[in-house]
Amino acid sequence: MECYNCGASLTGADYCGKCGVDVKIYKKILSASNSFYNEGLERAGVRNLSGAIESLKKSLQLNKMNINARNLLGLVYFEMGETVAALSEWVISKNYQSRNNAAAHYLNEIQSNQSRLDTINQTIKKYNQALIYCRQDSRDLAMIQLKKVLSLNPRLVKGHQLLALLYMQEGKYDQARKYLRNAAKIDENNTITLKYQKEIGSKLQDTAHSKKHKKENLISYQSGNDTVIMPTQFKDNSALQTVINIVIGAALGIAITMFLIIPNIRQRSKSDANEALKAANDTISTKEQSIASLEKQVEDMTKEVEEAKETSEGAQTKLTSYEQLLNAYTAYAADDMEAAGLALEKVQVSDLSAKAAAAYQDVNTKVNEKYLASLYEEGYSAYSKGEYETAIEKLAKVVETDETYKDGYAVYYLAQSYRRENDMAQAVIYYKKVMEQNPGSERARVAQTYVNENEDRQESGNGQNSQRQTDQQQGENQQQPGWPGVQ
């Protein structure tokens, strides 16, 4: 345990032995954080994942630098199928501790498997689509999407719970119970799962009671090998009543035959041809609709594939930006400004969160100061030694970042290096920038001389201004020793 004020190792005393600050409450906070971490570890060990999440969040509220708690929280999220939440915790963990951190191994395992990234993206997209269908009260479509989600990610507890809820709304309690059992296997004490199971138990109990009530109104007895079931209240008609019932039945049969059956037969013979024609038209229409539906499905599937590819590329780009930002921070801490600068060039600021973007701006400002100074020193040294290609490479990077660096000497020496390499087209571009930045100075006069000489050479051909070149070279040699070098 280290002191929060000076970083010294703490002993059993209530005060830091180095700086003397009171660390009694600080120790209690860290101890409480570790206690919640141990509690979360125990709950995760008995598959009480939702309880483990609650304990681990409390641990991190007390000590956000508790790397073990944050890594375990990511593992619990991953076990419950919530991969995005797990990745977020591991990235934060790696940002806090870049070395000897298991989070780096977890991230590499996922990043190195492109098919797993694709599966994660498809799962997120389909689950969100299922939520949209639920809000639109399209239960059938939501069920189809959720089954696809669970086929890709069978450990997604929220997917099992939502599908079970849809089956409960449809009155299919047996199927709902099956998905709740699957959710309970992953997270045994999830309160939502237990609530749904209790509701299903209550509904099934009411249904069983209703069936039992119906059975009580029936009696059964054995007749030979047959079982006869009859109502408890049975009335036996007399012989006279039986005859009357037969007569009434016969009269009703004749009436039905005269007024219903015969006209119906005639009507049926007339409508058979119409029905046959209608059936043929319906068949043609159904086939046309099927073809259109299949074409629409092909188009939708093509769009899904394209969107999945774009989503996967976007996730990979964001992870790469965070990796490069961490690399830049590590290189800056090691005082390797060139490596830090190269890493920052690969960071896409638009992919970063607000906090990460603020960290990027802070590191970028500090790195640029030392990075530009190092590049300028190397470029000027190479120019002084006559290594003009190296000077161009280094000074060009400085000018790209800040054209006015070293009061404009960076752009001046870049122009000189291009001229010494016989690339007057590029040299003139930077000579003009020298003239714009420092009008009336000795550098501007020399730059103007070279620009004029280049224009004269282009107008009159080769070599009519040799005397001017000699005079200008003498002026350059007289002025250069007085110009500042690396400071």
Side-chain angles (χ1 to χ4, degrees):
M1 185 181 299
E2 297 179 349
C3 176
Y4 67 89
N5 186 43
C6 65
S9 298
L10 298 178
T11 61
D14 293 338
Y15 295 90
C16 175
K18 184 176 180 180
C19 64
V21 70
D22 189 354
V23 294
K24 183 178 181 180
I25 298 177
Y26 174 67
K27 286 184 175 181
K28 289 183 178 180
I29 292 173
L30 294 186
S31 177
S33 175
N34 292 333
S35 297
F36 280 119
Y37 164 70
N38 292 331
E39 182 181 279
L41 186 61
E42 292 177 358
R43 289 182 172 182
V46 295
R47 301 206 69 80
N48 182 7
L49 302 185
S50 55
I53 290 175
E54 180 181 357
S55 298
L56 293 171
K57 284 184 175 180
K58 290 180 180 179
S59 175
L60 293 175
Q61 286 176 354
L62 294 172
N63 180 16
K64 67 179 182 179
M65 299 293 292
N66 194 333
I67 301 301
N68 291 330
R70 194 171 295 279
N71 290 346
L72 180 58
L73 180 59
L75 288 174
V76 173
Y77 277 133
F78 190 79
E79 181 67 15
M80 294 180 69
E82 300 182 24
T83 310
V84 175
L87 290 174
S88 300
E89 296 298 333
W90 291 335
V91 168
I92 294 172
S93 174
K94 187 176 179 182
N95 191 20
Y96 284 143
Q97 180 179 320
S98 59
R99 297 181 179 178
N100 299 324
N101 192 342
H105 172 70
Y106 303 148
L107 290 172
N108 290 334
E109 284 289 328
I110 295 178
Q111 290 177 353
S112 61
N113 192 338
Q114 185 63 37
S115 61
R116 178 178 291 183
L117 286 175
D118 294 339
T119 301
I120 292 171
N121 292 329
Q122 292 181 26
T123 302
I124 296 171
K125 180 181 177 182
K126 292 183 182 297
Y127 183 78
N128 292 335
Q129 186 62 48
L131 291 177
I132 293 174
Y133 286 145
C134 289
R135 296 188 185 99
Q136 296 174 351
D137 201 22
S138 301
R139 297 176 187 172
D140 294 339
L141 295 176
M143 289 179 182
I144 293 172
Q145 288 293 336
L146 287 172
K147 288 179 179 178
K148 292 179 181 179
V149 169
L150 294 177
S151 67
L152 295 172
N153 186 5
R155 308 197 68 79
L156 185 59
V157 175
K158 291 182 179 179
H160 289 287
Q161 292 173 343
L162 182 56
L163 187 55
L165 180 61
L166 293 174
Y167 276 124
M168 290 170 62
Q169 292 178 345
E170 294 290 329
K172 299 177 181 179
Y173 298 109
D174 291 335
Q175 291 174 297
R177 175 178 284 179
K178 180 183 73 172
Y179 284 100
L180 290 176
R181 282 198 295 265
N182 293 336
K185 291 178 182 178
I186 303 169
D187 185 8
E188 294 183 355
N189 292 327
N190 190 290
T191 54
I192 296 177
T193 302
L194 296 176
K195 178 181 177 182
Y196 290 171
Q197 286 179 333
K198 182 178 179 181
E199 182 70 17
I200 290 175
S202 176
K203 293 292 184 181
L204 292 178
Q205 186 176 2
D206 293 341
T207 303
H209 180 73
S210 176
K211 291 181 179 179
K212 182 179 179 181
H213 179 71
K214 290 182 179 179
K215 289 182 179 180
E216 289 177 351
N217 293 330
L218 301 174
I219 59 174
S220 62
Y221 62 90
Q222 198 73 21
S223 177
N225 293 328
D226 298 329
T227 299
V228 179
I229 300 175
M230 60 183 296
T232 55
Q233 298 179 353
F234 179 74
K235 183 177 181 180
D236 189 11
N237 293 325
S238 62
L240 179 60
Q241 186 67 38
T242 301
V243 173
I244 294 173
N245 288 340
I246 292 173
V247 172
I248 293 174
L252 289 174
I254 295 171
I256 289 172
T257 302
M258 294 297 296
F259 294 103
L260 296 177
I261 297 178
I262 293 176
N264 188 39
I265 292 173
R266 292 175 179 174
Q267 182 65 29
R268 183 178 299 174
S269 62
K270 293 179 180 179
S271 61
D272 282 345
N274 294 331
E275 289 294 333
L277 180 60
K278 182 179 179 181
N281 292 333
D282 290 343
T283 301
I284 295 172
S285 177
T286 301
K287 290 183 178 180
E288 292 177 350
Q289 291 178 357
S290 298
I291 293 172
S293 177
L294 290 173
E295 291 177 349
K296 185 65 169 60
Q297 290 179 8
V298 171
E299 182 180 352
D300 292 341
M301 291 177 67
T302 303
K303 290 181 179 179
E304 287 183 4
V305 171
E306 293 176 353
E307 291 175 357
K309 290 182 179 178
E310 293 177 357
T311 305
S312 175
E313 292 174 356
Q316 184 63 40
T317 302
K318 288 184 178 180
L319 289 174
T320 301
S321 294
Y322 277 101
E323 288 284 349
Q324 294 299 331
L325 179 57
L326 292 175
N327 292 338
Y329 186 83
T330 303
Y332 171 74
D335 204 23
D336 187 354
M337 295 301 114
E338 183 172 0
L342 293 175
L344 288 174
E345 290 177 359
K346 300 177 182 178
V347 175
Q348 296 291 334
V349 183
S350 59
D351 293 334
L352 302 178
S353 63
K355 292 184 178 179
Y360 167 83
Q361 293 297 339
D362 182 46
V363 175
N364 188 45
T365 300
K366 295 177 180 178
V367 168
N368 276 342
E369 294 177 0
K370 295 185 178 181
Y371 183 51
L372 292 180
S374 175
L375 285 175
Y376 179 79
E377 181 179 356
E378 293 175 4
Y380 181 76
S381 177
Y383 173 80
S384 300
K385 296 176 182 178
E387 300 172 357
Y388 302 116
E389 291 185 2
T390 304
I392 290 172
E393 178 186 355
K394 301 298 182 179
L395 294 174
K397 292 182 179 180
V398 176
V399 172
E400 286 178 4
T401 305
D402 184 2
E403 290 186 352
T404 63
Y405 191 75
K406 288 291 181 183
D407 196 22
Y409 279 104
V411 69
Y412 176 77
Y413 287 128
L414 179 59
Q416 290 286 75
S417 298
Y418 274 120
R419 182 181 62 80
R420 294 297 180 89
E421 281 293 300
N422 296 320
D423 188 354
M424 285 304 297
Q426 288 293 324
V428 167
I429 293 174
Y430 293 104
Y431 278 136
K432 289 182 178 179
K433 293 182 182 292
V434 173
M435 295 160 57
E436 293 173 0
Q437 294 175 5
N438 301 278
S441 66
E442 182 64 22
R443 283 172 287 161
R445 186 191 67 77
V446 173
Q448 183 68 60
T449 302
Y450 282 126
V451 171
N452 292 339
E453 178 183 339
N454 184 65
E455 292 175 353
D456 292 342
R457 184 182 296 112
Q458 290 177 352
E459 292 176 358
S460 61
N462 297 325
Q464 294 182 3
N465 295 295
S466 57
Q467 183 62 40
R468 176 183 295 176
Q469 180 178 2
T470 302
D471 295 341
Q472 178 274 327
Q473 184 64 44
Q474 292 175 352
E476 175 190 345
N477 294 333
Q478 292 172 0
Q479 296 298 330
Q480 185 168 342
W483 296 334
V486 179
Q487 298 180 358

